[in-house]
Amino acid sequence: MTRPRPSMLVVSESTSVSSSSSSPERAVYDDTDFFTAQRNDSQSSLGVASLGDMTMSSSLADEHRISPISRLPPELLIYSFSKLGSSADLRNCMLVSKTWSRNCVDLLWHRPLCNTWPNLLNVVSSVRKEDGYYPYFALVKRLNLSNLSDQISDGTVQPFVHCKRIERLTLTGCTKLTDHGVVSLVTGSNSLLALDITGLDAVTDHTLNAVAEHCHRLQGLNITDCSKVTDESLSSMAKNCRYLKRLKLNNCSLVTDESITSVARHCPSMLEIDLHNCRQITDESITALISHGKQLRELRVAHCSLITDQAFLELPKHLAFDSLRILDLTACSQLHDEAVEKIVDTSPRLRNLVLAKCKEITDRSVLAITKLGKNLHYIHLGHCAHISDSAVIQLGIHALLNQCPKLTHLSLTGVQAFFLREDLITYCREAPPEFTDHQRNMFCVFSGEGVNRLRNYLNEDPQSLYDTEGTMYDDRDGEDGDADQQVTGLMNATGLGADDDDMNEEDEAGEGSQYGGEADG
């Protein structure tokens, strides 16, 4: 039977060369298939010369009238839109077409701009719409109200209670908020990863109990200056939020060893913890955090005055805590040389070490610190009055400079062996202009090129050269590389206080900014 031929196809005018004289003439499609006629294929030798020679349906014709950029896959469109510099540009793109709108809306709404009161009102209006083109309340992933901190109250946040996909919530300084407002936001928010309620003094255990109940994926928590929070809610949170990585409890005066040891036991992924001025913390907490925190990178216990040498001497023997990079022991005045030696032995990869106001340590500690070798970048020995002239000229500081070639910051503020020597302070950086005369006279900080110049000066005097034992760890896997770059950014180093001896120095002991740049942003 002769195969029927669509009228649109051109029949070959040549005679078939088939062995059967009755064979029908071959149609164009006999040796091809549907795919060779698609727009992305090269023209077949048997195919149609152009699309105009084909009879096209109206839908196919419409498809070919779409602009080339609209044919891009969603991934490329989203990537292109993500490079736009402003919310206004994204809004304009949403008006181009439905396709563009669908691929822009997430970028525009994942972090709505709430930096002014009119902007906040616009966001609230859209979130409240029940018949909007998109469910805007479900698109919000990051919410930062800290720019309007003095205007935010429990009533202000009520329109956001249906935004249950928020991952980062920043309420820093919103002092009018109470438990009622914060609890309404976190209830049902099982996507929440980071919460920053710094300065919310009215917040109590009720809020953290709600976090423990609803936010099991939480990784970062900043409750600085939430002075009403106690062990009861923190312990509950530690047991329920086992993915915690960053915890900042500055000035939480009611916190004790009970909750901190619970955090150490139940949160094995902890990377950074800041206990600045938690004055009830003792050795038990520090030993537990380091012993259980195999991934712990930053530990800050400034002004925890009950900490003694035993916090470190009780650490498990023959174990090295290679992850620890930043240790801030400012004003832990009961620490002695034995503790510093143990710290160096068990944490050989320390990069930043702050021992300011540890007034009992001596030249012996300085010499022990030299064993950190090339790993050490930052050392703060301000107001360590027992560091003597012999440490400067014969052993400690000179050895520290030579054995630690990566050192970029050396603070010896208040150390008489240095700030009274005109030949040495020549290489100091300038004191901040707001310092008093007394503070200026004691200021002694070497940073950047000043460290190199001081090292070169001390090495010029042949009488000051000496033999010291080699560094313990200089032959270990090169520079800290990517690991050094990951030394985060959740917590900023703490200041030295407000009294006359405290040099309100730029503290580089912690690199980066707080998490949640919402808590970061």
Side-chain angles (χ1 to χ4, degrees), residues 48-267:
V48 179
S50 69
L51 288 169
D53 295 329
M54 295 182 63
T55 301
M56 295 188 294
S57 66
S58 59
S59 61
L60 188 59
D62 289 342
E63 181 180 354
H64 286 284
R65 282 197 290 268
I66 295 175
S67 63
I69 194 171
S70 295
R71 299 179 200 161
L72 290 174
E75 294 83 0
L76 289 181
L77 280 174
I78 293 171
Y79 177 79
S80 299
F81 294 145
S82 70
K83 299 302 181 181
L84 296 177
S86 69
S87 299
D89 291 338
L90 284 172
R91 282 196 299 270
N92 291 334
C93 288
M94 285 188 66
L95 300 176
V96 172
S97 68
K98 290 182 179 180
T99 299
W100 281 37
S101 178
R102 284 193 298 269
N103 290 295
C104 279
V105 66
D106 278 335
L107 293 171
L108 186 61
W109 274 90
H110 91 285
R111 182 168 56 187
L113 193 62
C114 300
N115 59 338
T116 66
W117 191 254
N119 283 350
L120 178 62
L121 292 180
N122 288 334
V123 171
V124 167
S125 175
S126 298
V127 167
R128 279 179 164 169
K129 285 182 179 178
E130 296 181 358
D131 58 346
Y133 192 80
Y134 296 106
Y136 295 107
F137 65 89
L139 299 177
V140 179
K141 300 291 184 65
R142 299 185 179 188
L143 182 61
N144 187 345
L145 302 178
S146 59
N147 287 320
L148 300 172
S149 56
D150 58 338
Q151 302 177 66
I152 301 299
S153 64
D154 291 342
T156 312
V157 301
Q158 289 311 301
F160 296 102
V161 297
H162 299 297
C163 300
K164 298 306 181 186
R165 297 181 65 192
I166 293 177
E167 297 176 355
R168 296 179 181 269
L169 178 60
T170 305
L171 303 171
T172 305
C174 299
T175 54
K176 294 180 181 178
L177 282 174
T178 68
D179 284 329
H180 176 71
V182 182
V183 169
S184 66
L185 290 174
V186 301
T187 299
S189 295
N190 55 13
S191 296
L192 193 64
L193 300 178
L195 174 64
D196 188 342
I197 52 175
T198 296
L200 275 63
D201 189 58
V203 164
T204 69
D205 287 339
H206 184 50
T207 291
L208 287 196
N209 282 330
V211 172
E213 180 180 355
H214 296 280
C215 308
H216 296 169
R217 297 176 59 197
L218 193 72
Q219 295 181 18
L221 177 67
N222 188 343
I223 57 171
T224 294
D225 294 325
C226 296
S227 57
K228 294 182 175 66
V229 172
T230 72
D231 289 331
E232 184 265 323
S233 61
L234 274 175
S235 296
S236 175
M237 194 188 64
K239 295 172 184 176
N240 289 281
C241 304
R242 293 175 176 250
Y243 298 106
L244 266 178
K245 294 181 178 181
R246 298 173 175 86
L247 184 60
K248 194 173 179 70
L249 306 177
N250 292 13
N251 302 316
C252 293
S253 56
L254 300 181
V255 172
T256 72
D257 292 336
E258 178 185 346
S259 58
I260 301 305
T261 54
S262 180
V263 168
R265 290 194 305 270
H266 297 293
C267 303

Side-chain angles (χ1 to χ4, degrees), residues 184-478:
S184 66
L185 290 174
V186 301
T187 299
S189 295
N190 55 13
S191 296
L192 193 64
L193 300 178
L195 174 64
D196 188 342
I197 52 175
T198 296
L200 275 63
D201 189 58
V203 164
T204 69
D205 287 339
H206 184 50
T207 291
L208 287 196
N209 282 330
V211 172
E213 180 180 355
H214 296 280
C215 308
H216 296 169
R217 297 176 59 197
L218 193 72
Q219 295 181 18
L221 177 67
N222 188 343
I223 57 171
T224 294
D225 294 325
C226 296
S227 57
K228 294 182 175 66
V229 172
T230 72
D231 289 331
E232 184 265 323
S233 61
L234 274 175
S235 296
S236 175
M237 194 188 64
K239 295 172 184 176
N240 289 281
C241 304
R242 293 175 176 250
Y243 298 106
L244 266 178
K245 294 181 178 181
R246 298 173 175 86
L247 184 60
K248 194 173 179 70
L249 306 177
N250 292 13
N251 302 316
C252 293
S253 56
L254 300 181
V255 172
T256 72
D257 292 336
E258 178 185 346
S259 58
I260 301 305
T261 54
S262 180
V263 168
R265 290 194 305 270
H266 297 293
C267 303
S269 300
M270 186 63 67
L271 296 176
E272 308 164 17
I273 185 165
D274 192 341
L275 303 174
H276 171 78
N277 207 34
C278 296
R279 295 183 179 269
Q280 297 192 57
I281 298 300
T282 70
D283 298 337
E284 181 183 1
S285 292
I286 308 308
T287 303
L289 286 170
I290 298 178
S291 299
H292 292 283
K294 305 302 182 184
Q295 301 181 51
L296 190 65
R297 285 183 166 273
E298 301 185 23
L299 175 60
R300 305 182 191 279
V301 289
H303 298 278
C304 295
S305 55
L306 297 181
I307 295 175
T308 71
D309 295 342
Q310 295 305 308
F312 302 98
L313 298 179
E314 293 297 322
L315 291 172
K317 296 181 179 179
H318 312 302
L319 283 181
F321 303 97
D322 286 340
S323 294
L324 194 61
R325 295 291 188 275
I326 296 177
L327 180 61
D328 185 354
L329 299 168
T330 299
C332 294
S333 55
Q334 297 191 57
L335 294 180
H336 296 79
D337 294 327
E338 292 80 6
V340 177
E341 291 173 338
K342 180 69 173 180
I343 290 168
V344 172
D345 287 341
T346 57
S347 306
R349 305 294 295 239
L350 269 176
R351 178 176 179 175
N352 295 7
L353 179 60
V354 183
L355 296 171
K357 293 187 177 180
C358 294
K359 298 184 178 181
E360 299 300 321
I361 68 172
T362 69
D363 305 346
R364 178 177 158 193
S365 289
V366 178
L367 188 57
I369 294 169
T370 65
K371 297 177 182 179
L372 293 173
K374 66 184 177 187
N375 295 312
L376 189 67
H377 287 216
Y378 181 107
I379 180 70
H380 196 328
L381 298 170
H383 304 287
C384 296
H386 290 157
I387 296 178
S388 68
D389 283 319
S390 63
V392 175
I393 302 303
Q394 295 178 2
L395 291 175
I397 302 301
H398 192 181
L400 192 68
L401 291 166
N402 285 330
Q403 301 291 345
C404 304
K406 301 288 186 181
L407 194 66
T408 59
H409 184 102
L410 170 63
S411 176
L412 294 166
T413 294
V415 179
Q416 291 190 7
F418 254 75
F419 77 78
L420 292 179
R421 289 190 52 174
E422 293 292 336
D423 60 328
L424 300 180
I425 63 173
T426 301
Y427 307 107
C428 287
R429 73 183 191 198
E430 291 293 325
E434 64 271 18
F435 275 17
T436 65
D437 289 340
H438 175 63
Q439 290 174 324
R440 287 175 177 277
N441 291 335
M442 299 180 69
F443 184 80
C444 188
V445 176
F446 305 87
S447 60
E449 187 57 31
V451 175
N452 293 329
R453 292 169 61 197
L454 177 64
R455 180 188 293 115
N456 294 337
Y457 173 76
L458 291 177
N459 286 337
E460 285 175 359
D461 183 1
Q463 293 183 352
S464 68
L465 297 178
Y466 53 88
D467 293 326
T468 61
E469 55 183 302
T471 61
M472 297 169 59
Y473 310 104
D474 275 2
D475 58 345
R476 300 182 56 171
D477 47 289

Side-chain angles (χ1 to χ4, degrees), residues 32-43:
T32 184
D33 57 32
F34 171 77
F35 297 101
T36 60
Q38 299 308 296
R39 60 181 176 273
N40 287 330
D41 292 324
S42 59
Q43 182 178 324

